């Protein structure tokens, strides 16, 4: 049994060496010049000679193996061969395929977990660690309803009103009306914005379906841009400053239909006004002109 395990290990090493050799061959030389090409050819020859050496060793190990006097012990799976029903005779191969599939799922889930942990656009301010330590209370996002009400009541932008309501319990919904241009609903968790819905001034905001889009293409595009800016201004450590900066940027849409594009100088492009506002200068741009 030890010789068989050693042989299987040699096969795995050979497969790994062949895979690495072909990967380097597919990548090629980093820079196309004589010195790098000669170095790349020398490395390939060394890898190829190493593979030949491993093949010869594997052949010698295989020739030294002896035919087992009795079949190897496979545990309870040996009883599967005694099944006489035809539709159950292939059960062992199905079990092997299931094991391989579960093993791949485990590897992919581990990679996804590592990638999600380094995601800079994480919306949650609570870091989930594998080590279970003492629970620490976070003070960066104050859930006090009075704090949220006072924060929006202190904001003063021309021709803009803020109305805070709570149709879903503790989560606040801030209805924003900017002049006679548009209406918006901000769903907040504490003072962190979780969702933005933008509608026309003549449209009704339905609290039962805040995910419904506007019937106007211009406000659907504005909603996409406001959600992108929501991620830009997101700051769990300074939530008050983040939401004030975001609302100052959001108020720049008060001149949505009266300001031309800063780059092309036109009021309309593809039938739409400039729906993007620069995150720093607040200057208007068409979608085609912002890049």
């Amino acid at each position: 049994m030890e010789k068989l395990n050693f042989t299987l290990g040699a096969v795995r090493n050979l497969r790994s060496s062949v895979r690495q050799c072909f990967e380097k061959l597919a990548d090629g030389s980093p820079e196309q010049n004589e010195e790098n090409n000669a170095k790349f050819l020398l490395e390939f020859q060394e890898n190829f000679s190493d593979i030949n050496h491993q093949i010869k060793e594997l052949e010698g190990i295989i020739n030294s193996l002896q035919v087992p006097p009795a079949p190897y012990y496979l545990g309870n799976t040996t009883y599967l061969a005694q099944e006489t029903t035809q539709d159950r005779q292939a059960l062992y191969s199905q079990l092997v395929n299931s094991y391989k599939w579960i093993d791949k799922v485990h590897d992919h889930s581990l990679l996804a977990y590592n990638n999600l942990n380094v995601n800079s656009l994480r919306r949650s301010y609570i870091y989930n660690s594998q080590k279970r330590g003492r629970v620490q209370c976070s003070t960066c996002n104050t859930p006090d309803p009075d704090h949220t009400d006072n924060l929006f009541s202190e904001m003063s932008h021309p021709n803009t009103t803020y109305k805070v309501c709570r149709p879903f319990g503790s989560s606040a919904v801030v209805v924003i009306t900017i002049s006679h241009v548009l209406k918006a609903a901000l769903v907040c968790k504490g003072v962190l914005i979780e969702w933005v819905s933008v509608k026309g001034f003549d449209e009704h905001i339905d609290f039962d379906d805040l995910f419904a889009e506007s019937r106007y293409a211009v406000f659907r595009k504005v909603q996409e841009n406001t959600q992108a800016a929501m991620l830009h201004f997101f700051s769990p450590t300074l939530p008050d400053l983040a939401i004030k900066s975001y609302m100052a940027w959001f108020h720049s849409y008060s001149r949505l239909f009266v300001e031309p594009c800063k780059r092309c100088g036109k009021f309309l492009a593809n039938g739409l006004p400039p729906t993007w506002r620069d995150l720093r200068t607040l200057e208007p741009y068409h979608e085609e002109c912002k890049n």
Side-chain angles (χ1 to χ4, degrees), residues 63-244:
N63 293 330
S64 64
L65 289 176
Q66 298 179 357
V67 179
Y72 290 107
Y73 177 71
L74 300 178
N76 295 329
T77 57
T78 55
Y79 296 106
L80 295 175
Q82 302 177 4
E83 182 63 52
T84 58
T85 307
Q86 186 175 3
D87 57 349
R88 295 183 180 179
Q89 290 179 355
L91 186 59
Y92 181 76
S93 60
Q94 294 176 3
L95 288 175
V96 174
N97 293 332
S98 300
Y99 174 80
K100 293 180 179 179
W101 182 82
I102 293 174
D103 194 41
K104 289 182 179 179
V105 169
H106 176 74
D107 294 339
H108 287 300
S109 61
L110 182 61
L111 293 174
Y113 173 79
N114 294 331
N115 290 332
L116 291 175
N117 272 349
V118 298
N119 187 6
S120 60
L121 296 180
R122 220 175 19 241
R123 296 294 296 137
S124 176
Y125 50 87
I126 299 176
Y127 178 74
N128 183 17
S129 176
Q130 291 182 346
K131 297 181 179 179
R132 295 182 62 87
R134 185 175 59 185
V135 178
Q136 297 180 354
C137 296
S138 175
T139 59
C140 60
N141 182 24
T142 306
D144 185 11
D146 295 335
H147 178 77
T148 305
D149 296 345
N150 295 333
L151 180 63
F152 283 97
S153 63
E154 294 173 356
M155 293 184 185
S156 60
H157 296 104
N159 301 321
T160 303
T161 59
Y162 302 94
K163 181 182 178 182
V164 181
C165 55
R166 290 178 173 81
F168 309 117
S170 60
S171 298
V173 178
V174 184
V175 179
I176 305 171
T177 304
I178 300 180
S179 186
H180 293 279
V181 180
L182 59 83
K183 295 178 181 178
L186 275 64
V187 180
C188 300
K189 180 181 180 182
V191 290
L192 295 181
I193 302 175
E194 297 289 334
W195 181 257
V196 182
S197 177
V198 179
K199 298 290 186 69
F201 181 77
D202 60 338
E203 293 183 285
H204 174 68
I205 295 179
D206 187 6
F207 291 111
D208 295 332
D209 190 8
L210 290 175
F211 294 94
E213 295 182 343
S214 172
R215 66 174 182 268
Y216 302 111
V218 57
F219 294 114
R220 291 196 296 267
K221 183 59 67 175
V222 170
Q223 178 172 324
E224 293 179 5
N225 294 331
T226 54
Q227 291 174 353
M230 174 184 66
L231 296 176
H232 173 79
F233 289 102
F234 174 71
S235 176
T237 55
L238 298 172
D240 291 5
L241 178 61
I243 199 167
K244 289 179 180 179

